[in-house]
Amino acid sequence: MNKSITKLFFFLLLGCLFGCTTNKQIDLIVYNAKVYTVDSAFTTIEAFAVNNGVFIETGSSQDLLNKYEAKEKIDAGGKFIYPGFYDAHGHFFMLAEAMDEVNLVGAASYNEILDRLRTYIAANPDKKWIVGNGWDQNLWEDKNFPVKDSLDKYFPDLPIYLTRVDYHAALASGKALEIASLDSAYFVDGGLISVNEEGLPDGILVDNAMQLVSKHIPKNQNSALLKMLRRAQDSLVSVGLTSIVDAGLNESQIDALKVFYNEDSLQIRDYAMVMATPESVKEFLRAGTFESDRLTVRSFKLMADGALGSRGACLIHAYHDAPTNGFLLQSPKDFDDLIQRLARSNFQVNTHAIGDSANRIILDSYGKYLKDGKERRWRIEHAQVIQPNDFHKFKDFQIIPSVQPTHATSDMYWAGERLGEERLKTSYAYKQLLDQYGLLALGSDFPVEHYNPLYGFHAAVARVDKNGFPNGGFQMENAISREQALRGMTIWAAYSCFQERKRGSIEKGKDADFVILEEDIMTAKNETLRDIKTLRTVIAGETVFKR
């Protein structure tokens, strides 16, 4: 009996020597890579280990492979890894809807818009409303706003609603105006109903006037909405985005997100701003902030003015090319009252401000009520046109500039016409804003601009368009370095959302969100940056995209 026990023990020991391991069992090791951790020292490493959705250790490939037994191992083949890219200002729902609408981006004339409409209508004969997006009259030979006459001539029985590329103006057909009972012009606070020589609406609606028609467009049911959001999500993760800021949602959209994330139906991390209305402010201040693993609701989005391209941005002095100053979307007193109220809450406030007048008004109101600005991390979204003597307020009041570098390279062709030479010098001034606050939150404003973060990276560092125009760059004194740009779309973006301790860098204890690229954006030539492909995108240790 004792001999049998001894034999059994011997064989068990032998088996363990050859088949057992004392290495810790984990989920994932990624090795043989050049990893930009984007930690405080901007360290590069070659490997990291992941378990339960977080980074547990970084170091050398051999050390980690010897120390851990992983369910999955990724040999990166010497490729380049970065923290998951974070878009600090985008529009998830708008992107999802735009993918189902008539794409008018890049249309070179009104006639091309009509041609695209014909093609879309033929392919979608059952559509009750025809909705499109992306037209830009600045690309046309005739740079005047279009009017509805051609829509009414070729599509007399269809309600058509076409938003401008900046989503701050729209062209509506006669049928759409009829449904909205807009048969005459009247004053709209914070908006404009354009009229023809007879004083009748010509189809152009700007800013607050847009909702008079858009509210009549049928809304998607949740099942269709989820399908659209997942399609948009597929596009976002395919370019390395793991986190986004949803810059302005209504209550029903936030309710839908809560349902979808609770069901694990969406993967991308979403920092959702509540669009501030009297109703939403009352409701969300009562309900308080919300945070789950993938969805956060702790900020309000205010809209101070419109956009420069549609002359809705509010300027201190008149536009260089038109006798108007643009307009605020609410009165200064209304903004001041709202900001004072929100300063007493624990919500973050992020305000769309493009014109120098809008920026001054909001900055001054922020400074009036924020006593602990660095802790509150309030933001100005866009911060496009700033008067020289207002830059210091970002530092004095500790206000985060949240900017979108591709706006500079999209607007540079005509921004001087709108602003004149002197004001242009302190517009899209990202380096100057960075010097004031010490960081920038970088985004794209998708679908106004393309969602690929490398387009923004390229615009930030090279200040040229996709064709390398202009030679030498647009106002290169406001270019930022590659390290600053990478921080802006990772750890600084996370900081602007109070999440720098959870994500934004590849460090022990943080969410295992990362992206593998085919080339190194820190050393690649400027002209190749936009073409660098994402090989793999990982959220919480799970691959959500692989090329």
Side-chain angles (χ1 to χ4, degrees):
M1 184 70 177
N2 287 340
K3 285 184 178 180
S4 298
I5 292 174
T6 301
K7 274 186 178 181
L8 178 61
F9 178 77
F10 174 77
F11 283 119
L12 287 173
L13 180 60
L14 194 64
C16 193
L17 286 173
F18 286 98
C20 295
T21 178
T22 56
N23 289 0
K24 182 178 179 182
Q25 301 287 313
I26 63 170
D27 294 328
L28 173 66
I29 292 176
V30 180
Y31 65 99
N32 188 20
K34 182 171 184 180
V35 182
Y36 288 89
T37 64
V38 196
D39 62 5
S40 59
F42 209 67
T43 308
T44 57
I45 56 173
E46 62 181 25
F48 52 79
V50 173
N51 201 38
N52 295 323
V54 300
F55 299 112
I56 61 169
E57 191 170 346
T58 63
S60 73
S61 298
Q62 200 58 55
D63 285 349
L64 296 186
L65 289 169
N66 288 341
K67 183 174 182 178
Y68 297 104
E69 187 64 34
K71 297 174 187 174
E72 181 184 7
K73 297 176 184 177
I74 298 175
D75 181 347
K79 295 300 184 183
F80 310 94
I81 300 182
Y82 311 84
F85 297 144
Y86 201 137
D87 193 312
H89 185 111
H91 302 277
F92 195 19
F93 283 76
M94 286 167 58
L95 177 64
E97 291 163 355
M99 290 178 168
D100 200 41
E101 297 171 354
V102 191
N103 181 1
L104 304 176
V105 174
S109 66
Y110 194 0
N111 283 335
E112 185 173 343
I113 285 179
L114 297 174
D115 287 341
R116 293 193 192 187
L117 281 170
R118 292 185 186 98
T119 300
Y120 181 87
I121 291 168
N124 298 272
D126 298 327
K127 288 277 187 181
K128 299 284 190 286
W129 275 73
I130 304 301
V131 181
N133 65 85
W135 60 267
D136 182 359
Q137 84 285 355
N138 289 313
L139 303 178
W140 307 346
E141 185 176 345
D142 177 1
K143 300 189 187 312
N144 292 315
F145 275 161
V147 294
K148 67 181 181 66
D149 296 1
S150 293
L151 298 182
D152 295 346
K153 176 180 178 180
Y154 296 111
F155 317 106
D157 300 320
L158 277 175
I160 298 174
Y161 183 82
L162 310 175
T163 51
R164 192 181 179 276
V165 65
D166 54 18
Y167 285 80
H168 284 274
L171 173 63
S173 68
K175 189 65 176 181
L177 296 177
E178 178 187 322
I179 291 171
S181 299
L182 281 182
D183 52 3
S184 61
Y186 57 87
F187 177 75
V188 178
D189 191 21
L192 171 70
I193 300 173
S194 179
V195 296
N196 58 23
E197 293 178 355
E198 287 76 39
L200 299 175
D202 62 16
I204 286 291
L205 310 167
V206 181
D207 287 311
N208 287 349
M210 296 167 65
Q211 61 189 313
L212 299 173
V213 172
S214 65
K215 67 183 180 181
H216 295 280
I217 300 172
K219 301 295 184 288
N220 289 296
Q221 298 300 312
N222 265 12
S223 57
L225 180 58
L226 176 58
K227 183 178 179 181
M228 294 164 67
L229 288 172
R230 293 186 77 165
R231 181 174 58 182
Q233 175 184 256
D234 289 344
S235 295
L236 297 174
V237 299
S238 75
V239 292
L241 288 166
T242 59
S243 295
I244 58 172
V245 172
D246 231 340
L249 300 179
N250 61 40
E251 294 171 71
S252 65
Q253 290 171 325
I254 290 174
D255 287 343
L257 284 180
K258 287 180 179 179
V259 170
F260 299 153
Y261 279 105
N262 187 55
E263 296 171 345
D264 292 327
S265 298
L266 292 171
Q267 296 165 304
I268 198 164
R269 303 186 193 276
D270 193 329
Y271 186 85
M273 299 178 186
V274 182
M275 185 63 79
T277 65
E279 297 76 21
S280 69
V281 169
K282 180 179 179 180
E283 171 59 26
F284 282 90
L285 288 184
R286 181 195 64 78
T289 61
F290 173 88
E291 185 163 6
S292 66
D293 180 48
R294 307 275 171 125
L295 176 65
T296 301
V297 184
R298 61 169 298 172
S299 67
F300 284 100
K301 166 82 174 293
L302 279 60
M303 296 290 297
D305 62 349
L308 201 63
S310 49
R311 298 188 185 86
C314 188
L315 301 178
I316 295 171
H317 302 293
Y319 278 78
H320 186 67
D321 60 354
T324 177
N325 292 58
F327 40 76
L328 292 174
L329 302 188
Q330 296 184 58
S331 71
K333 183 180 185 306
D334 286 341
F335 282 122
D336 197 70
D337 290 345
L338 179 55
I339 289 168
Q340 181 182 25
R341 182 182 181 188
L342 294 177
R344 296 194 294 262
S345 77
N346 60 347
F347 276 81
Q348 181 189 38
V349 174
N350 308 308
T351 304
H352 165 117
I354 288 184
D356 53 7
S357 177
N359 275 284
R360 175 176 289 178
I361 288 166
I362 297 301
L363 284 167
D364 287 345
S365 189
Y366 277 6
K368 188 175 174 182
Y369 299 111
L370 271 186
K371 306 309 176 189
D372 51 353
K374 194 166 186 66
E375 294 301 314
R376 300 300 299 276
R377 303 187 193 183
W378 285 18
R379 302 168 24 165
I380 294 286
E381 306 299 317
H382 310 307
Q384 278 188 13
V385 187
I386 310 291
Q387 277 288 308
N389 57 357
D390 285 333
F391 278 98
H392 71 92
K393 297 173 184 176
F394 287 89
K395 179 180 180 180
D396 294 350
F397 306 146
Q398 290 295 293
I399 307 304
I400 297 174
S402 170
V403 300
Q404 302 74 44
T406 47
H407 282 332
T409 52
S410 291
D411 297 359
M412 63 183 177
Y413 312 104
W414 48 263
E417 296 173 12
R418 294 284 191 276
L419 297 171
E421 184 178 343
E422 202 57 36
R423 274 185 300 199
L424 187 63
K425 292 177 183 177
T426 55
S427 302
Y428 313 95
Y430 306 140
K431 181 63 166 62
Q432 201 165 347
L433 289 166
L434 171 62
D435 290 343
Q436 289 297 322
Y437 187 81
L439 64 79
L440 297 171
L442 298 187
S444 65
D445 202 15
F446 68 77
V448 176
E449 303 279 357
H450 198 280
Y451 47 79
N452 190 329
L454 298 190
Y455 292 6
F457 184 89
H458 174 245
V461 303
R463 303 277 291 199
V464 295
D465 65 13
K466 64 182 179 181
N467 298 314
F469 176 86
N471 186 32
F474 169 64
Q475 299 186 166
M476 283 301 290
E477 67 274 14
N478 272 300
I480 61 177
S481 73
R482 294 193 184 207
E483 179 180 331
Q484 291 164 344
L486 181 56
R487 289 189 182 278
M489 54 199 251
T490 54
I491 190 65
W492 290 350
Y495 176 90
S496 75
C497 302
F498 303 90
Q499 294 172 346
E500 76 279 6
R501 293 184 179 179
K502 296 195 297 184
R503 54 192 70 116
S505 61
I506 296 175
E507 297 183 84
K508 182 178 179 179
K510 288 194 173 184
D511 293 327
D513 302 349
F514 61 92
V515 56
I516 305 178
L517 300 184
E518 64 176 353
E519 301 292 341
D520 187 358
I521 61 173
M522 302 306 291
T523 59
K525 293 180 179 179
N526 282 344
E527 55 267 28
T528 68
L529 287 171
R530 291 170 60 101
D531 297 323
I532 292 174
K533 298 293 187 293
T534 299
L535 301 179
R536 186 190 294 253
T537 305
V538 178
I539 300 177
E542 178 187 353
T543 296
V544 295
F545 170 80
K546 184 178 178 183
R547 188 170 297 280

